[in-house]
Amino acid sequence: MKSTMMNYQLTIPAILQRAKEIHPEKQIVTKMNDESIHRYSYGEFYTRVRRLMDALQKAGIKPGDRVATFGMNHYRHLEVYFAAPSMGAVLHTLNVRLFPEQLVYIVNDAEDSIIFVDKSLSKTLSDLLSQFKKKPKFVIMDDLEAMEAAPLADAIDYEEFLKNGNDSSLPLPEVDENKASGMCYTSGTTGNPKGVVYSHRSVYLHSMSICMSDSLGVCEKETVLPVVPMFHANAWGIPFACVMTGATLVFPGKHLLGHALASLLEQEKVSIAAGVPTIWNVLYQHLKKNSYDLSKLHTMIVGGSAAPLSMIEGFKKDFGIQILHAWGMTELSPVGTVCRLRTTMKDWNESEKMHFLAKQGPAVAGVELRGIDDQGRDIPKDGKTPGELIVRGPWVTVEYYGNPSQESFTEDGWFKTGDVVTIDEHSYIQITDRKKDLIKTRGEWISSVEMESQVLKASGVLEAAVVAKPDEIRGEVPVVFVVPKEGESIDKKSVLGVLKENFANWQLPNLEDIQVIDVIPKTSVGKFDKKVLRTRF
Amino acid sequence: MKSTMMNYQLTIPAILQRAKEIHPEKQIVTKMNDESIHRYSYGEFYTRVRRLMDALQKAGIKPGDRVATFGMNHYRHLEVYFAAPSMGAVLHTLNVRLFPEQLVYIVNDAEDSIIFVDKSLSKTLSDLLSQFKKKPKFVIMDDLEAMEAAPLADAIDYEEFLKNGNDSSLPLPEVDENKASGMCYTSGTTGNPKGVVYSHRSVYLHSMSICMSDSLGVCEKETVLPVVPMFHANAWGIPFACVMTGATLVFPGKHLLGHALASLLEQEKVSIAAGVPTIWNVLYQHLKKNSYDLSKLHTMIVGGSAAPLSMIEGFKKDFGIQILHAWGMTELSPVGTVCRLRTTMKDWNESEKMHFLAKQGPAVAGVELRGIDDQGRDIPKDGKTPGELIVRGPWVTVEYYGNPSQESFTEDGWFKTGDVVTIDEHSYIQITDRKKDLIKTRGEWISSVEMESQVLKASGVLEAAVVAKPDEIRGEVPVVFVVPKEGESIDKKSVLGVLKENFANWQLPNLEDIQVIDVIPKTSVGKFDKKVLRTRF
């Protein structure tokens, strides 16, 4: 029997068109680099996107061509986000914090035809120009940084480029929902970075899912500030979800810390902010010492790494802000789980609730997940047994771009995340570690993440990172790097004392392997760079 | 360029599987016909659905076969809702309030293979048995009505039928998302009823959309009671959305009025209820005279017909309950619009807000809509100019079952709804009438719905329906049918007086065309049956 439903395509132009039809009066706000505020409506945004689509076409960009961006979070970046896929091209966000050799590799691997670059970041690309094989065109997005743009072959200013495009009130082009709409490279902790290619369908479905009330709950009444960069797994899909629903969008530009961020949250009455734990840790310290009215800010979405329990408790107790844990990966568009307490947990005591809020939560609608052991058998849902997290769903990658290797996939097509998790009876997952970051001591696994969260309880500790070091007797031993809070010092013995409460003697680090350092090196997406730490012993 | 996203299928078994994995402990509650409460978990529900899938297969049901239901809202009906499409068959809900000849037509047109029927409704089918061409099998669902089931050829009790099925913990079968999953016939105000065939994809996407915060907002923390029957456009998709999210589901069985309904809302702490305005009108009168604790009930979803402004204001003022207007059709799975106020309207005064809440609202994400005039041109978004509403989207029908006629569709494939609307600058639609219910007086259109809402302001009026009567001089004149409130009477002159405030003299009904009647005849889905009213003069 045949269904009589329309073969309607789920596409990014359909999301764009909805913004114009339903909520053209809602606002998109950007804090520029000179701290001025740029403000316009979704209606104006739409008009400019249509012009940009036409300008891209006139610049010779064809369906399937890669249109790259190299910029922070701002309104012009959002225009490229929609113009490129709406005219059939592929939006390719470049991570501005990559090492030069990775950047060159990625631009050449993706064969970018054109790159939209922030003026303040133009020097980075200018230095690498000779190494780009395809000789992309450049468009400079003026972020109002007090400087001249670096020399880039035939670069044109964004607003000049836009003038080449005509307005259009014609219906947007129809696109096949399975066509490529965007691509993003994983940061690549081993080997070369690997590309993931999204489709219109995957972006549309991911947007619907994160707008569901049990997921991130993006909706018209929220004012959403993504600190998470637009080059970091699509800023977790937030730009697409906001345009779909008419949520007010607030872009921080380069202002990601201290007063610059806190005052933007206050002035624009932001209700949902999203970023990695390190960002919120710095903000928390700032808020403790300075006063802001953040009464509208009810939710801080945390992803990228796990937020420590102390941070979750601190934001709740001191500022009434809920930390909403989410877990995702570039390979998942990226959202896989969101941690909200369930109504069946409402009578639990505060400490049980906090314990659960520190987990990553159950799969969002659309994603299926399992935990498997080394033999590929499902782990029990006991909240204790670790296993590798595997996932599938309409916004999960089935391979890497130009890479036939199936080593990251099970035989029946699930994606192997490389994350080690426990799954409890409520199907809440907790990431215990990256598979390669586990420490094997006397034949038993120790989770580096678990040890880090214990170390944070020691007096004066701001940040902690634990990595494995080969050891003749024990196989591997943990090395603990700690960063002291501003103006405080750390006593190594008290760190060891705290660890003794939760770990057996043979699991403990040697006293000399507790190292106090000024800063923990971070990867391009703000995670602890354990690869770098491992080089320090 | 090729996307690397998984070709994951959006299917009803995937929704079912999620219920088992993520929220097996959440509850499904049914008030049986003897007023006892049946209560079980989504986990138990899943087990029984798996058994039912197997039992259906053993009964010879094949992929594509139509599995019909003829019942009220209860847990067994929900089991068939999921078992039939999950094993590849097509769920066909039969409207229990149809006239016998329509019922026979539909069963024969759909070629139902098996019919699951409530014990209390078995007599209706028993009387028609000889007219069913395909000789369907029958399964009796015991609703605990104090009666014997009527004789139906080889009928088997539901629980006996279930015993034929085995448990299974195997993965659910993989289904193509574009395959048919269900069908439903429109009530058919002219000609024969017409069938619409849903797909797995359309049901999945519709479920996601109504779970979005700006739409119906179905989510885990809600307790949802659909008064709207499961045979009326899939109970507006609520059963699927609840199973997807783990919202607590409360089924009223046959208890749709007065104390039986109000006490269920109170006892089960229902937070969202959904039904047609006539149901809520009766409940409102009951609540005014009796006392219940409905403090958890924050939202009443109204669809099927427009709720009068007085009802919206009354529920808000007297009980603090928000009436949430939605508009939909069987042809749309059914939800097309939901009316929530936007944050940009927050400073409006109460009367402006109420005026907007009486509209049907903007299109939900996934649906595109337009209003067109007789020449097919878009009407202006001025909130005044009427036009026919046309729609498209992934859960909109593109044709009727077995019916090649394209008269309900535009040349470029939009569905013509037959509803007359205005669209305002905020893209909120307001249904002013069915196209065929408009009254043409002296060459000008009068909206019957608008006149009805004015008549409701006259003293003592409970319900009002307006239809057109041919008139030699004016072309058509309105005939007004009014039903008095309990214990009150209606003065025709005062009705005319109220109308004079809003209509020109040549638009007014003649005094003798204002008719006081005991009850307005309703269609099988609870709408005013204007076809019947027109036979009364």
Side-chain angles (χ1 to χ4, degrees), chain B residues 173-185:
Chain B
E174 310 254 333
V175 190
D176 177 338
E177 67 180 30
N178 290 310
K179 279 267 186 304
S181 69
M183 76 185 304
C184 196
Y185 282 74

Side-chain angles (χ1 to χ4, degrees), chain B residues 76 180-181 218 364 380 397 466 486 507 516:
Chain B
R76 290 195 184 100
S181 69
V218 174
V364 297
T397 201
V466 176
E486 207 185 318
Q507 297 179 311
V516 181

Side-chain angles (χ1 to χ4, degrees), chain A residues 157-355:
Chain A
D157 175 75
Y158 185 94
E159 297 301 325
E160 292 301 315
F161 186 77
L162 210 56
K163 283 181 192 158
N164 299 336
N166 287 328
D167 286 344
S168 175
S169 58
L170 291 175
L172 284 159
E174 310 254 334
V175 189
D176 177 338
E177 66 180 31
N178 290 308
K179 280 267 184 305
S181 69
M183 76 185 304
C184 195
Y185 281 75
T186 61
S187 25
T189 44
T190 51
N192 279 323
K194 287 175 279 190
V196 172
V197 184
Y198 308 110
S199 65
H200 286 265
R201 170 180 159 109
S202 71
V203 171
Y204 196 102
L205 291 171
H206 183 269
S207 303
M208 286 184 98
S209 183
I210 67 173
C211 292
M212 285 172 66
S213 307
D214 289 325
S215 177
L216 302 186
V218 174
C219 62
E220 189 275 332
K221 72 170 189 285
E222 305 293 356
T223 298
V224 186
L225 187 150
V227 176
V228 51
M230 291 167 84
F231 55 76
H232 181 192
N234 313 310
W236 304 346
I238 288 170
F240 295 113
C242 287
V243 176
M244 182 180 260
T245 58
T248 302
L249 247 174
V250 181
F251 288 122
K254 72 168 183 183
H255 308 288
L256 310 180
L257 292 171
H259 176 71
L261 177 60
S263 61
L264 185 61
L265 290 168
E266 179 183 58
Q267 283 156 21
E268 298 300 328
K269 300 185 170 60
V270 170
S271 61
I272 299 178
V276 293
T278 43
I279 289 281
W280 301 138
N281 199 2
V282 174
L283 182 70
Y284 180 77
Q285 307 302 331
H286 183 80
L287 294 180
K288 289 288 276 184
K289 291 176 190 151
N290 301 273
S291 176
Y292 297 91
D293 174 8
L294 299 187
S295 55
K296 298 285 182 190
L297 185 59
H298 57 74
T299 301
M300 277 174 163
I301 303 166
V302 169
S305 308
L309 186 56
S310 56
M311 186 198 290
I312 299 175
E313 285 173 332
F315 269 111
K316 181 81 181 170
K317 199 170 121 272
D318 297 333
F319 307 110
I321 298 169
Q322 192 199 344
I323 294 275
L324 190 66
H325 243 163
W327 168 85
M329 295 179 79
T330 300
E331 290 87 338
L332 271 92
S333 304
V335 178
T337 72
V338 172
C339 189
R340 290 181 188 273
L341 295 182
R342 216 165 274 170
T343 48
T344 46
M345 302 169 179
K346 70 177 188 302
D347 296 330
W348 290 8
N349 67 41
E350 267 316 289
S351 122
E352 283 173 314
K353 285 182 183 172
M354 283 298 154
H355 172 68

